[in-house]
Amino acid sequence: MTELLQQLIAIPSLSRDEGAVADFLEQWLRDRGLQPHRSGNNLWCCHGSGPAVLLDAHIDTVKPVSGWTRDPFTPSVEGGRLYGLGSNDDGASVVALIEAYQRLIATEQPYTLILSLSAEEETSGRSGLEISLPQMEQACGPIAFGVFGEPTSLQMAVAEKGLMVLDCQVCGVAGHAARDTGVNAIYKALPAIEWFRGKQFEKVSPLLGPVKMTVTQVNAGTQHNVVPDLCTFVVDVRSNGLYSNEELLSLIQAEAPCEAVARSTRLCGSSMDESHPLVQRARELGLATVGSPTLSNQALVRFPSVKIGPGDSPRSHTADEYVELEDLDKAVEIYVQLLDGLKV
């Protein structure tokens, strides 16, 4: 696994430009007797019969930040750590899920197992899992649940917040700043911005907490001596799994003192009930179950799913990213123990 992860790090695979690493992985899988399907830069393999179970990890990375002190595309091992861009997010999960998939299909399982290596996760692109998922379901049948490999310190995230971005605007009337004319759109926007800061939705998740709304960008004005007639601002909305994005949008549009338009409602929150056999198996293994504030490919699926993998989430997207090599072996063992013989 270490060698494969090093090979992946050495191939730049920035989100929306994963062709080279997809080519490499496709051939690597074929060389080991697997028969990967390909859709764009997404790869997937399928084995078995019965209800389908999805294993997914993403092959793309973010761009390296400016603080790197080493070449992000030259993997290096020091003190039991493997450094390189994408080592933690999400290369470690990619190689661990590939190994777990091979071990699990070596014996008959009471389900169909799908291995998905997806593109464009880091940019929530529409040419990632979104285009390969329908093909998997057509070939393998409806998916009963999914396991998404992401850096969670090998804890099982049984709930994940969704995302919705709102473009908001408030209109005023232009006028000369030296005179008492016009209606200042910035001043009109202040109550709307304050509304987003103070709004509390009734349903609070035990794992994910309340819905969180944050105004992250504000823009107004054309020059210093003109009263602005338009103020626009952007709101980052993190849903908590108890409201769909569509429900939240409807509530916001009914109550907020401004115009609010969603860029998309497709990135929803997710959760898996504690009575699910996979969660019960996790507890038998002594795994911690947590909620996750960060977005993953779980946002694109509507079947129950969890997120678990090697690496540490706060290490993602940072300079000198690394993964502890011992976590790779631990992750494979956990994946196998979670899924081997599991009744779906």
Side-chain angles (χ1 to χ4, degrees), residues 187-198:
Y187 298 158
K188 283 189 66 177
L190 292 177
I193 292 171
E194 184 63 28
W195 184 88
F196 279 102
R197 184 171 75 160

Side-chain angles (χ1 to χ4, degrees), residues 14 25 49-50 52 54 62 66 80 109 133 154 180 215 223 229 270 280 318 335:
L14 304 183
L25 280 169
S49 59
L54 175 69
V62 296
S66 60
Q109 301 293 340
L133 188 61
L154 296 175
D180 292 326
V215 176
Q223 57 193 64
D229 60 357
S270 63
Q280 294 300 310
T318 64
Y335 289 142

Side-chain angles (χ1 to χ4, degrees), residues 284-301:
E284 291 170 5
L285 296 173
L287 297 178
T289 53
V290 298
S292 172
T294 58
L295 201 69
S296 75
N297 272 339
Q298 283 183 278
L300 299 174
V301 305

Side-chain angles (χ1 to χ4, degrees), residues 67-311:
W68 277 83
T69 63
R70 58 187 78 213
D71 182 354
F73 301 107
T74 300
S76 58
V77 176
E78 299 175 20
R81 295 173 173 176
L82 175 55
Y83 291 85
L85 182 65
S87 56
N88 181 76
D89 184 17
D90 195 30
S93 290
V94 169
V95 300
L97 281 180
I98 289 174
E99 178 66 21
Y101 176 80
Q102 293 181 103
R103 292 193 193 181
L104 286 164
I105 66 172
T107 57
E108 184 177 351
Q109 301 293 340
Y111 50 78
T112 299
L113 190 60
I114 305 171
L115 172 67
S116 165
L117 306 176
S118 53
E120 296 194 9
E121 189 273 348
E122 294 289 6
T123 53
S124 298
R126 292 184 177 273
S127 295
L129 182 63
E130 215 163 357
I131 65 169
S132 58
L133 188 61
Q135 298 175 10
M136 297 182 222
E137 292 180 314
Q138 182 176 8
C140 307
I143 295 173
F145 68 87
V147 176
F148 289 84
E150 289 278 354
T152 67
S153 300
L154 296 175
Q155 298 177 317
M156 178 179 281
V158 296
E160 176 187 271
K161 284 196 169 184
L163 169 66
M164 180 171 59
V165 179
L166 301 179
D167 289 305
C168 302
Q169 71 172 33
V170 174
C171 295
V173 178
H176 197 297
R179 299 181 180 276
D180 292 326
T181 59
V183 178
N184 195 314
I186 294 176
Y187 298 158
K188 283 189 66 177
L190 292 177
I193 292 171
E194 184 63 28
W195 184 88
F196 279 102
R197 184 171 75 160
K199 173 64 179 176
Q200 297 292 319
F201 292 92
E202 180 181 353
K203 299 176 185 177
V204 178
S205 166
L207 286 171
L208 297 175
V211 173
K212 188 175 189 300
M213 299 196 293
T214 308
V215 176
T216 55
Q217 294 174 277
V218 180
N219 186 63
T222 57
Q223 57 193 64
H224 78 90
N225 58 353
V226 178
V227 173
D229 60 357
L230 179 66
C231 181
T232 63
F233 57 96
V234 175
V235 184
D236 179 291
V237 182
R238 301 287 169 157
S239 54
N240 63 356
L242 301 181
Y243 297 89
S244 69
N245 284 340
E246 291 83 0
E247 288 174 315
L248 286 175
L249 180 60
S250 179
L251 291 169
I252 291 167
Q253 290 177 332
E255 298 181 28
C258 64
E259 180 181 337
V261 177
R263 296 181 185 178
S264 170
T265 58
R266 59 193 265 270
L267 303 175
C268 294
S270 63
S271 63
M272 181 177 280
D273 190 271
E274 63 179 14
S275 65
H276 193 281
L278 185 68
V279 179
Q280 294 300 310
R281 177 72 66 87
R283 289 177 175 167
E284 291 170 5
L285 296 173
L287 297 178
T289 53
V290 298
S292 172
T294 58
L295 201 69
S296 75
N297 272 339
Q298 283 183 278
L300 299 174
V301 305
R302 299 298 175 261
F303 45 78
S305 63
V306 298
K307 181 167 64 179
I308 181 171

